[in-house]
Amino acid sequence: MSKLNEAAIHATNTTNAQFRDKINKLTNMNITELINQIKTSTLNEVEIKKLISEINVATDKNKKITELIERGGDVAKNLREIIGKVK
Amino acid sequence: MKNFLIILIFAIGLSSCATLPKASVDLSVMLEQQISALESTNVEISKLYFELKRENAIQFLDEQWYPCFLDNLFQEEAVTEHWDSILVATNATQKIVLIKELTEVIQKQYMLMRDSLLNPLNQAEKDWLEFIRQEYQLAKTMNSTITQHVKSIHELQGKRKEILSKLVDNNALQEKLDIFISKADAVLENVEKGLTQYKQNEPAINQFINKIIK
């Protein structure tokens, strides 16, 4: 059986040598190369994350101001009544 | 209380810098849906492409590699000896055992070759899908950040309008503004009429001025 196995491995190697170019063409996808090419033309992830954190700070600020205005709604109503009375 | 009012007025002032239509928020949300749809399409097309590559590899294996491998295999001395053993074997059971040994060896090589063709394609597909997933995720995170920000500005504007309507009678203010604009329009109309009349009579006026100067 081992002799048979050795013979089969040898036959495989011989066949692969005969089809080397074809096999390379079928299996070599150059995906890593393609990904690296795309990465050089797309946006810098670190820079994007920095921008995102800056925007998030501004968003939080807007939310806090909105909450503040919500809480101040009744005060504003009272203020208007007082102004009306003064007039 | 005084401090609170100052903060409140400051907050209203801050939020009144620009106007942001609701459509901006809607558009931003729609963009997120569009990105997701494009991602799904891209993933599906990529999967189809790799499936096609796998089919091509299997077709090559079955139609070209395998027949050639068998030719090469039967040129090996150990295989021809084994084949002769099959032919000379008198016992049927022994023949079957020998044939089984040969087919197992052939099948093993076929499967190894199949793996060596498909594994690089499977790995490439995995890497590619992971890459596009990360890129789309980044785009979605960017858009989501913008959506949240735009939404926060829109909400802030809404609250500002709401509170201003409590402080000022918007209807009365609008009415006064309309009257003012109408008056301004009437004045501008008179000025325009005056200018037109002047242009029409300009030669006569110039002639009259010249007579006075002389």
Side-chain angles (χ1 to χ4, degrees):
Chain A
M1 186 75 171
S2 66
K3 271 189 179 178
L4 211 55
N5 265 327
E6 279 171 24
I9 291 165
H10 188 255
T12 298
N13 291 338
T14 310
T15 316
N16 287 348
Q18 284 173 278
F19 288 108
R20 187 172 291 126
D21 289 344
K22 179 82 178 171
I23 291 168
N24 280 341
K25 205 177 164 189
L26 281 167
T27 55
N28 190 3
M29 296 288 296
N30 287 329
I31 285 294
T32 314
E33 201 182 307
L34 179 66
I35 289 171
N36 288 336
Q37 266 180 10
I38 296 171
K39 273 187 177 172
T40 55
S41 61
T42 53
L43 301 161
N44 181 317
E45 200 177 336
V46 178
E47 190 62 30
I48 290 167
K49 282 183 178 167
K50 195 181 155 198
L51 290 172
I52 285 173
S53 80
E54 277 179 33
I55 295 169
N56 282 339
V57 169
T59 307
D60 286 346
K61 191 178 151 193
N62 284 343
K63 282 179 182 170
K64 278 175 191 162
I65 295 170
T66 308
E67 282 170 19
L68 196 67
I69 293 175
E70 269 175 357
R71 281 199 284 139
D74 292 336
V75 179
K77 197 179 169 186
N78 293 335
L79 202 66
R80 189 184 166 191
E81 282 170 11
I82 294 164
I83 293 166
K85 280 176 189 171
V86 172
K87 277 180 184 173
Chain B
M1 182 69 179
K2 192 183 167 189
N3 285 340
F4 184 80
L5 277 174
I6 290 166
I7 293 166
L8 186 67
I9 290 162
F10 179 67
I12 295 166
L14 267 181
S15 63
S16 59
C17 296
T19 54
L20 188 83
K22 168 84 167 55
S24 307
V25 184
D26 295 343
L27 200 63
S28 198
V29 172
M30 281 159 72
L31 184 60
E32 195 173 328
Q33 291 167 353
Q34 181 77 351
I35 292 170
S36 294
L38 286 172
E39 184 187 9
S40 301
T41 312
N42 209 335
V43 165
E44 284 310 309
I45 287 173
S46 301
K47 282 181 178 174
L48 282 173
Y49 172 75
F50 282 101
E51 196 50 49
L52 198 67
K53 292 289 286 183
R54 278 189 286 265
E55 278 175 19
N56 285 345
I58 296 296
Q59 194 179 13
F60 158 75
L61 180 70
D62 291 343
E63 292 176 9
Q64 293 180 55
W65 188 89
Y66 187 62
C68 188
F69 164 74
L70 289 180
D71 287 346
N72 290 330
L73 186 74
F74 278 91
Q75 282 173 23
E76 295 288 330
E77 200 182 329
V79 178
T80 47
E81 280 174 9
H82 190 87
W83 186 251
D84 289 342
S85 309
I86 295 168
L87 294 177
V88 295
T90 48
N91 188 327
T93 316
Q94 198 189 354
K95 270 191 187 214
I96 291 168
V97 169
L98 289 169
I99 290 170
K100 208 177 158 191
E101 277 177 5
L102 186 63
T103 48
E104 271 175 15
V105 165
I106 292 170
Q107 197 177 12
K108 189 182 172 188
Q109 291 306 308
Y110 176 89
M111 291 311 287
L112 284 172
M113 189 58 200
R114 189 178 184 273
D115 288 347
S116 75
L117 286 172
L118 296 185
N119 286 348
L121 297 178
N122 292 338
Q123 188 58 48
E125 183 185 28
K126 197 180 159 193
D127 292 346
W128 175 250
L129 291 177
E130 179 61 19
F131 170 70
I132 55 173
R133 193 195 64 78
Q134 282 175 358
E135 289 298 307
Y136 274 105
Q137 189 53 47
L138 187 63
K140 280 196 256 186
T141 308
M142 286 161 74
N143 186 56
S144 169
T145 306
I146 294 167
T147 306
Q148 289 304 315
H149 189 65
V150 168
K151 205 175 155 195
S152 76
I153 296 172
H154 184 71
E155 281 172 1
L156 191 57
Q157 280 186 346
K159 291 292 167 193
R160 177 182 62 86
K161 281 179 189 165
E162 199 180 300
I163 200 163
L164 280 177
S165 70
K166 286 176 182 173
L167 279 168
V168 184
D169 188 345
N170 273 345
N171 290 334
L173 198 68
Q174 190 62 45
E175 211 173 287
K176 282 181 183 170
L177 197 66
D178 288 345
I179 293 166
F180 175 75
I181 289 168
S182 300
K183 281 181 181 172
D185 276 349
V187 170
L188 283 171
E189 208 176 313
N190 284 336
V191 170
E192 204 179 341
K193 273 182 190 171
L195 281 170
T196 313
Q197 277 177 357
Y198 173 77
K199 275 184 183 170
Q200 281 171 354
N201 298 319
E202 199 176 6
I205 292 167
N206 284 339
Q207 208 176 354
F208 180 69
I209 290 168
N210 285 335
K211 273 183 186 175
I212 293 169
I213 292 167
K214 282 175 187 173

